[in-house]
Amino acid sequence: MSWTTQMDAARKGIITPQMRIVADKENMALETLVQRMAQGTVIIPANRNHAHLDPEGVGLGLRTKINVNLGISKDACDMDLEMEKVRHALRLGAEAIMDLSCFGKTREFRQALIAESRAMIGTVPIYDAVGFYDKNLSDISADEFFDVVQAHVDDGVDFLTIHCGLNRLTAERIEKTQRLTSLVSRGGSLLYAWMKENNAENPFYEHYDRLLEICAQHDVTLSLGDGCRPGSLHDATDAVQVQEMIVLGELTRRAWERNVQVMIEGPGHMALNEIAANMVLEKRLCHGAPFYVLGPLVTDVAPGYDHITSAIGGAVAGAAGADFLCYVTPAEHLRLPTLDDMKEGIMAARIAAHAADIAKGIPGARDWDDKMSKARADLDWEAMFNLALDPEKARAYRESSRPAHEDSCTMCGKMCAVRTMKRLKEGKDIRLDD
């Protein structure tokens, strides 16, 4: 029996190789995975043209995944450096990489990225269109936008961020709502400007069926972008954000009718006490589709530390139902991230994702922590290093300040509580004077 997309296969009861891999990774029964994929609550972004993909599932009951943004721009067009970031991100455990390239040899970079990466790849085609055509935004035609989408799909991109929910009705709401930061989505602002300058509907909304047809060709997941996401605490959960989410819910059902996999992109900045309610709102309005969030950043006053504000929000969001976290680096709002910035962002996002998995009761998540606790109780430093999220950093910290006694560290020395209790259990003397 033939199938077109992973969702189509699931609905026909066909087990694909990607499903078997994901079920094994997640320790989930194949029957459960297939059922959730058929319903749209789990996706496996896997373009048929991405030959070396190591597939991952995103959605209900699965581990919280993280994404890393990178790419070339007019101010930073060093392809070699960006490819080094790709390799760095893969070593650090990122499950997805989004290529946000918008200038220069974008297709060359994208093809090299897809050829090298076993992680799933996402793109935002409208960024590429502006750079590729090298003409005024308002002069780009709807057909030209779709030609770029087709190129990305043909190259092997696994998921596409398209801001389809920013239609004329949503645009009117923007003009009536008193936002502090208006639109902060790059793709959303570009489409809004195109619509205003051409006095036309969003081409991706108006010709949505055409977009779905392209996605179905090679089984590309549609990541419905949040062009109206809040860029400040002041703007969170306002009428503009909610209006767009309502439209995204309608578009989700239309995609499912064509067997196109969908995830929904979510808020950027949001007070801590609003996050859980937003997760429930998205799941209700978008029919349980996987939720992909940027942050949320829980305060606006920490430039240079936004990987921390994002990790706090990401942990709360994940625990409340978010499925996929987009990393944020210390350079957010300030500059293009360096390799060191990227590492800080990835580790912060991975910590948030794992904390969320513990709260959600994902099978095996708590076991990892219990193994670390056992290693600490045993003062087994090598086991601690091997279990650490970042073994290299943990080992370097200990080596930088060696204790007088190997069964302690330089924080407490022989007064270490763990050392004391371990020696008592072993029937050894507790001596602090030698």
Side-chain angles (χ1 to χ4, degrees):
M1 189 182 298
S2 62
W3 54 275
T4 55
T5 69
Q6 295 289 330
M7 173 175 265
D8 181 42
R11 288 174 168 175
K12 291 175 177 175
I14 299 171
I15 307 300
T16 68
Q18 292 85 358
M19 292 177 193
R20 292 188 185 280
I21 292 170
V22 170
D24 184 60
K25 285 182 177 181
E26 301 285 347
N27 194 28
M28 177 177 280
L30 261 172
E31 295 79 7
T32 302
L33 179 69
V34 171
Q35 180 184 44
R36 292 177 183 179
M37 292 184 68
Q39 295 169 342
T41 57
V42 168
I43 58 174
I44 301 178
N47 188 321
R48 294 172 184 270
N49 292 340
H50 190 171
H52 304 295
L53 175 70
D54 183 10
E56 295 283 357
V58 178
L60 181 64
L62 307 185
R63 290 177 298 106
T64 308
K65 307 305 188 299
I66 73 161
N67 170 71
V68 169
N69 291 338
L70 43 77
I72 53 176
S73 67
K74 191 168 186 177
D75 291 320
C77 54
D78 186 338
M79 287 180 57
D80 291 337
L81 176 59
E82 292 307 296
M83 286 306 298
E84 178 56 30
K85 289 181 182 178
V86 170
R87 291 184 279 272
H88 208 54
L90 296 175
R91 285 195 297 270
L92 291 172
E95 287 95 0
I97 294 174
M98 283 202 76
D99 174 17
L100 306 186
S101 295
C102 58
F103 176 81
K105 298 178 179 180
T106 56
R107 192 166 200 184
E108 181 180 331
F109 177 75
R110 182 170 63 250
Q111 290 174 339
L113 168 62
I114 293 167
E116 178 147 345
S117 175
R118 293 179 60 80
M120 53 185 163
I121 301 298
T123 59
V124 189
I126 192 171
Y127 297 175
D128 190 23
V130 173
F132 178 77
Y133 291 116
D134 192 24
K135 59 183 180 181
N136 290 334
L137 174 66
S138 59
D139 293 334
I140 300 175
S141 70
D143 285 339
E144 287 174 324
F145 280 133
F146 278 97
D147 286 344
V148 171
V149 172
Q150 185 69 62
H152 284 224
V153 169
D154 291 343
D155 286 344
V157 169
D158 301 296
F159 64 96
L160 298 172
T161 291
I162 311 282
H163 302 84
C164 306
L166 181 51
N167 59 11
R168 276 182 153 171
L169 182 61
T170 311
E172 290 174 8
R173 182 88 52 191
I174 294 168
E175 293 154 13
K176 295 176 182 177
T177 304
Q178 297 299 312
R179 281 190 154 194
L180 277 180
T181 49
S182 190
L183 294 184
V184 299
S185 161
R186 192 186 339 174
S189 65
L190 289 171
L191 276 171
Y192 180 79
W194 187 93
M195 292 163 64
K196 296 292 287 185
E197 291 180 2
N198 288 284
N199 190 28
E201 180 59 274
N202 178 348
F204 296 113
Y205 179 80
E206 184 176 8
H207 306 291
Y208 188 61
D209 287 337
R210 180 177 177 182
L211 178 62
L212 295 179
E213 183 178 346
I214 293 173
C215 289
Q217 287 175 1
H218 300 301
D219 192 10
V220 173
T221 297
L222 186 55
S223 186
L224 290 171
D226 52 339
C228 300
R229 70 173 179 266
S232 61
L233 301 189
H234 177 276
D235 298 342
T237 324
D238 67 356
V240 177
Q241 179 195 339
V242 175
Q243 170 66 41
E244 183 182 38
M245 194 179 294
I246 291 170
V247 177
L248 296 183
E250 296 168 353
L251 296 176
T252 297
R253 284 203 180 278
R254 287 177 59 186
W256 287 348
E257 290 170 1
R258 303 285 291 271
N259 289 317
V260 173
Q261 299 185 101
V262 172
M263 62 181 164
I264 309 297
E265 298 189 11
H269 294 237
M270 183 166 288
L272 202 62
N273 60 307
E274 294 183 54
I275 294 174
N278 268 262
M279 302 305 108
V280 174
L281 189 64
E282 182 276 341
K283 292 292 183 177
R284 176 61 65 88
L285 292 178
C286 298
H287 320 295
F291 203 15
Y292 172 28
V293 298
L294 176 67
L297 281 69
V298 296
T299 178
D300 298 333
V301 298
Y305 298 92
D306 277 330
H307 59 310
I308 298 174
T309 67
S310 172
I312 294 169
V316 175
D323 307 286
F324 195 12
L325 306 182
C326 186
Y327 93 142
V328 172
T329 77
E332 185 78 7
H333 302 113
L334 301 171
R335 61 167 167 79
L336 190 75
T338 63
L339 278 169
D340 287 341
D341 294 331
M342 191 178 74
K343 179 177 180 178
E344 291 295 312
I346 290 173
M347 298 314 300
R350 287 193 63 196
I351 291 167
H354 180 61
D357 288 348
I358 293 170
K360 286 189 282 194
I362 298 298
R366 188 64 172 266
D367 295 345
W368 186 2
D369 294 73
D370 290 344
K371 289 176 183 177
M372 176 63 86
S373 296
K374 177 66 165 57
R376 284 176 174 157
D378 293 340
L379 291 171
D380 185 342
W381 297 101
E382 200 59 36
M384 285 185 249
F385 298 148
N386 291 334
L387 288 164
L389 264 171
D390 185 352
E392 182 180 321
K393 185 170 186 177
R395 191 183 298 275
Y397 265 60
R398 179 159 175 82
E399 291 301 322
S400 70
S401 182
R402 298 293 303 181
H405 300 273
E406 279 300 308
D407 59 351
S408 66
C409 76
T410 53
M411 172 67 79
C412 300
K414 293 182 70 176
M415 294 176 65
C416 172
V418 177
R419 178 182 184 273
T420 296
M421 299 309 296
K422 183 174 185 293
R423 290 179 72 85
L424 281 173
K425 288 179 181 179
E426 293 170 350
K428 296 179 181 178
D429 292 337
I430 307 302
R431 299 191 58 184
L432 306 178
D433 57 350
D434 62 355

